[in-house]
């Protein structure tokens, strides 16, 4: 006999169940719901009958959020209680109802080997539920496991599945008596105020906070002064990671190692979730280093973005990373030019030529002109510095008075200096 595989929990696995299961009458604790949903996610929906399944106890305990210290004990306690839990379903032809247990058999097997604890849960769903989980073609709800087990309130998952199943309709009305029957509420919920505050208010708040559905609700009366039920209005929020759709799928070709790595990054369901054909078109139309830069850029500035897939596409199409790099280069070039200009100005100021205009320029020029005047020139020639200083000006009128005075003392004019004449 072939040894059965001990499977691990896959949070991305799909939980497929009929509409009758979604809206059936039953009561499970939050922990029991998480366990049963994980078991359903393990089913092979293509089969005609249930088979015995095995799932790692550690993996199941972690997925249900049981404490690391007592996880196995909690799991065993929940599994034992599941054996006694029942569900009441309405017959599809409207001829009545029937009841069934969730689980037909369930064993806890403690196994240890050299690699550590390999304990597992072995289970088989009740065969009366086969039509509600296997080979479904219509009237069913398919949800990702992680979306169903994320809630902590006991009734959040129930309401979420009902709303998700009827999201195209967008409206549901229940009387409080119908909710008591649907959720199999205990006697502690005889008063409608308890249903309002302990169930509806808390569950809807958690759904709005954590799920892809937004729900509004209001209570209604029926010919009296007291509320008799609740109206729910709900709709899908904007998706966190919508997948860009391409109308012209790209022909599937073999990717190189570098392209395959880029493909895996683009189609990562936990980050960008770009579709297969869009990812291939991006790889075909853009250089890999450009895609790499924009992936890093989009992830760095992802905060506050409602659609990470759409945000990434926008970055790639605009080459946001390239633009940011160009802006940085321009800032660096401008700073370099500013620094060079400041350095040149300082050098020229120290040399007396090209100093900043205004009082500072005049002061520098006057200082060096006075120094030149005091110099003893044995050969009677105009000092080289004065000649260089005069050549800095375009017209005689721009030459400072002190410099012009020095020229006069040497018997030189502005034009003489430009013509490089010197007094012998």
């Amino acid at each position: 006999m072939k040894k059965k595989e001990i499977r691990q929990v896959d949070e991305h696995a799909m939980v497929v169940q009929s509409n009758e299961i979604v809206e059936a009458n039953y009561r499970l604790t939050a922990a029991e719901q998480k366990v049963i949903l994980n078991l359903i996610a393990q089913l092979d929906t293509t089969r005609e009958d249930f088979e015995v399944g095995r799932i790692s106890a550690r993996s199941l305990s972690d997925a249900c959020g049981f404490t690391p210290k007592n996880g196995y004990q909690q799991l065993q306690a929940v599994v034992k209680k599941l054996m006694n839990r029942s569900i009441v379903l309405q017959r599809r032809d409207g001829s009545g109802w029937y009841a069934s247990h969730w689980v037909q058999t369930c064993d806890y097997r403690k196994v240890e080997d050299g690699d550590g604890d390999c304990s597992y849960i072995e289970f088989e769903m009740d065969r009366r539920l086969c039509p509600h989980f296997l080979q479904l073609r219509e009237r069913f709800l398919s949800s990702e496991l992680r979306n169903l087990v994320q809630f902590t309130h006991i009734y959040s998952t129930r309401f979420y599945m009902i709303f998700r199943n009827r999201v195209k309709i967008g409206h549901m009305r229940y009387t409080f008596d119908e909710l008591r029957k649907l959720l199999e509420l205990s006697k502690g919920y005889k008063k409608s105020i308890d249903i309002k505050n302990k169930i509806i208010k808390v569950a809807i708040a958690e759904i709005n906070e954590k799920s892809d559905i937004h729900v509004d609700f209001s209570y209604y009366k029926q010919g009296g002064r007291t509320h008799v039920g609740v109206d729910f209005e709900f709709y899908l929020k904007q998706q966190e990671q919508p997948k860009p759709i391409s109308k012209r799928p790209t022909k599937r070709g073999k990717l190189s190692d570098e392209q395959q790595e880029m493909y895996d990054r683009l189609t990562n369901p936990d980050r960008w979730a770009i579709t297969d054909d869009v990812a291939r078109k991006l790889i075909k139309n853009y250089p890999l280093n450009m895609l790499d830069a924009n992936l890093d850029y989009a992830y760095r500035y992802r905060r506050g973005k409602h659609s990470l897939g759409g945000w990434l596409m926008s970055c790639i199409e605009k080459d946001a990373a390239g633009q940011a790099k160009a802006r940085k280069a321009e800032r660096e070039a401008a700073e370099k030019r500013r620094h060079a200009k400041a350095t040149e100005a300082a050098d020229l100021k120290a040399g007396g030529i090209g100093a900043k205009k205004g009082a500072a320029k005049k002061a520098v020029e006057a200082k060096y002109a006075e120094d030149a005047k005091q110099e003893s020139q044995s050969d009677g020639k105009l000092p080289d510095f004065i000649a260089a200083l005069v050549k800095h000006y375009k017209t005689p009128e721009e030459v400072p008075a002190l410099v012009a005075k020095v020229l006069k003392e040497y018997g030189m004019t502005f034009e003489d200096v430009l013509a490089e004449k010197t007094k012998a």
Side-chain angles (χ1 to χ4, degrees):
M1 182 176 178
K2 184 179 179 180
K3 185 177 180 180
K4 291 185 178 297
E5 175 188 7
I6 300 176
R7 303 181 65 181
Q8 305 292 319
V9 170
D10 178 8
E11 65 174 357
H12 299 292
M14 302 304 294
V15 176
V16 182
Q17 50 192 326
S18 70
N19 293 354
E20 289 85 354
I21 289 286
V22 172
E23 300 184 18
N25 300 347
Y26 65 88
R27 183 177 187 275
L28 296 173
T29 66
E32 290 166 353
Q33 284 187 85
K34 291 181 179 181
V35 170
I36 200 67
L37 287 168
N38 273 281
L39 298 186
I40 294 172
Q42 303 295 318
L43 300 176
D44 182 355
T45 58
T46 64
R47 295 179 59 87
E48 295 182 354
D49 197 359
F50 292 133
E51 62 177 349
V52 176
R54 289 180 176 179
I55 183 170
S56 163
R58 175 181 294 177
S59 177
L60 183 56
S61 175
D62 293 342
C64 293
F66 298 149
T67 60
K69 183 177 180 180
N70 301 313
Y72 285 180
Q73 288 77 9
Q74 289 177 275
L75 179 60
Q76 292 179 68
V78 170
V79 169
K80 289 177 182 178
K81 290 181 180 180
L82 273 178
M83 292 297 299
N84 298 318
R85 295 297 190 188
S86 61
I87 178 172
V88 178
L89 299 110
Q90 300 299 317
R91 295 187 183 279
R92 293 186 174 181
D93 59 6
S95 60
W97 57 269
Y98 67 95
S100 170
H101 286 95
W102 284 96
V103 181
Q104 182 169 303
T105 64
C106 197
D107 300 342
Y108 177 83
R109 299 295 183 100
K110 188 174 183 180
V111 180
E112 292 184 1
D113 61 17
D115 297 325
D117 192 349
C118 296
S119 300
Y120 61 89
I121 298 293
E122 189 174 83
F123 69 96
E124 186 175 11
M125 304 291 289
D126 194 300
R127 282 187 168 81
R128 297 198 74 184
L129 298 180
C130 282
H132 299 286
F133 295 110
L134 305 181
Q135 296 192 357
L136 294 173
R137 296 290 183 270
E138 58 182 9
R139 292 174 54 79
F140 66 91
L141 173 66
S142 180
S143 307
E144 200 167 8
L145 176 62
R146 62 176 180 174
N147 292 332
L148 302 180
V149 299
Q150 63 179 323
F151 304 109
T152 57
H153 187 262
I154 183 173
Y155 298 109
S156 296
T157 302
R158 291 294 311 278
F159 278 124
Y160 173 82
M161 290 191 295
I162 291 172
F163 298 150
R164 199 66 178 80
N165 194 44
R166 293 178 175 262
V167 73
K168 291 184 178 180
I169 300 174
H171 175 264
M172 285 290 293
R173 167 175 281 198
Y174 288 104
T175 66
F176 294 130
D177 285 336
E178 288 173 335
L179 285 179
R180 291 186 182 96
K181 184 178 179 181
L182 176 72
L183 305 176
E184 293 191 356
L185 299 179
S186 64
K187 295 180 180 180
Y189 291 95
K190 284 187 176 181
K191 296 181 180 179
S192 60
I193 189 67
D194 293 326
I195 297 178
K196 291 178 180 179
N197 294 336
K198 297 179 181 179
I199 296 180
I200 296 174
K201 184 178 180 180
V202 180
I204 300 308
E206 187 174 28
I207 290 172
N208 285 339
E209 177 188 358
K210 297 181 178 180
S211 81
D212 58 349
I213 291 178
H214 179 82
V215 185
D216 294 312
F217 65 92
S218 60
Y219 303 108
Y220 68 92
K221 302 175 183 178
Q222 206 166 50
R225 300 179 61 184
T226 60
H227 294 132
V228 297
V230 57
D231 278 316
F232 294 107
E233 302 281 348
F234 42 90
Y235 59 88
L236 283 173
K237 301 175 185 175
Q238 182 179 4
Q239 296 300 302
E240 291 295 320
Q241 294 182 341
K243 300 180 180 181
I245 301 299
S246 173
K247 296 180 180 180
R248 299 178 181 178
T250 299
K251 184 179 179 180
R252 304 296 183 264
K254 187 175 181 180
L255 301 175
S256 66
D257 292 342
E258 294 80 6
Q259 290 175 329
Q260 184 63 49
E261 181 181 356
M262 180 58 65
Y263 174 88
D264 293 339
R265 292 175 66 189
L266 290 169
T267 57
N268 183 347
D270 295 325
R271 184 166 293 180
W272 310 113
I274 300 296
T275 56
D276 170 78
D277 57 301
V278 172
R280 289 176 179 272
K281 283 192 173 182
L282 291 174
I283 292 171
K284 179 181 178 181
N285 296 332
Y286 296 98
L288 292 182
N289 59 348
M290 184 267 204
L291 294 176
D292 178 71
N294 281 283
L295 277 164
D296 292 342
Y297 180 90
Y299 186 72
R300 187 181 307 118
Y301 299 104
R302 70 192 183 282
R303 187 183 297 276
K305 302 299 186 298
H306 294 292
S307 169
L308 292 185
W311 164 238
L312 174 60
M313 291 296 294
S314 175
C315 289
I316 293 174
E317 290 170 356
K318 297 177 181 178
D319 190 15
Q323 292 182 14
K325 185 177 181 180
R327 290 193 297 269
K328 181 180 179 182
E330 177 57 31
R331 289 194 301 269
E332 292 176 348
E335 176 61 21
K336 187 176 181 180
R337 290 194 298 270
R338 187 198 66 77
H339 183 268
K341 188 175 181 180
T343 302
E344 180 183 9
D347 292 343
L348 292 175
K349 183 175 180 179
I353 300 177
K356 293 183 179 179
K357 295 181 179 180
K361 176 180 178 180
K362 292 180 179 179
V364 171
E365 291 172 343
K367 175 181 180 301
Y368 282 98
E370 183 63 28
D371 291 344
K373 180 181 178 182
Q374 300 299 327
E375 290 180 5
S376 174
Q377 298 292 335
S378 59
D379 56 3
K381 290 184 178 181
L382 184 70
D384 292 339
F385 172 75
I386 294 297
L389 184 61
V390 171
K391 291 178 180 179
H392 177 67
Y393 301 102
K394 296 181 180 180
T395 64
E397 289 75 18
E398 294 182 7
V399 178
L402 187 57
V403 177
K405 184 179 179 181
V406 174
L407 287 176
K408 187 176 181 181
E409 291 178 354
Y410 279 88
M412 301 285 292
T413 65
F414 178 78
E415 289 75 10
D416 291 337
V417 176
L418 296 183
E420 297 185 351
K421 293 181 178 180
T422 57
K423 185 178 180 183

